[in-house]
Amino acid sequence: MPTSLRKQDYASGSALISITGKNFRYGAEVYFGDYKAIKTYVQSSTSLAVEVPLSSMPSGTYTVKVQNSDTQSDSLVNAFTVNP
């Protein structure tokens, strides 16, 4: 997963990033602070592709939280930065 993205590099207002981990399940959701990912694609139990809503997010550092449909979750504190 990239640790930072610059808004100016994504004219569409969103970016697709990969997240690796373990125990991902169909229906998982990803949050960047209070901002929910536009779409989350569970590629396998160890890989997600996530569309990040960059245009909605102010510049800053965000905790990334992955929550499975059974409410099991894990977070990486201050793991992702949005730059102007």
Side-chain angles (χ1 to χ4, degrees):
M1 177 172 94
T3 57
S4 68
L5 295 178
R6 295 183 324 162
K7 285 185 185 187
Q8 68 187 31
D9 293 339
Y10 297 90
S12 68
S14 66
L16 193 64
I17 63 168
S18 295
I19 297 176
T20 57
K22 60 183 180 176
N23 299 323
F24 298 140
R25 296 187 181 109
Y26 178 78
E29 296 179 333
V30 179
Y31 297 86
F32 295 81
D34 294 332
Y35 297 88
K36 184 178 176 183
I38 297 167
K39 292 197 182 213
T40 300
Y41 304 96
V42 180
Q43 298 175 312
S44 72
S45 65
T46 59
S47 178
L48 301 174
V50 180
E51 189 174 349
V52 181
L54 290 178
S55 62
S56 301
M57 300 168 67
S59 297
T61 302
Y62 295 87
T63 294
V64 179
K65 176 182 173 183
V66 177
Q67 181 173 316
N68 282 323
S69 57
D70 64 359
T71 70
Q72 175 189 1
S73 67
D74 200 6
S75 299
L76 283 173
V77 177
N78 297 328
F80 186 75
T81 302
V82 175
N83 295 308

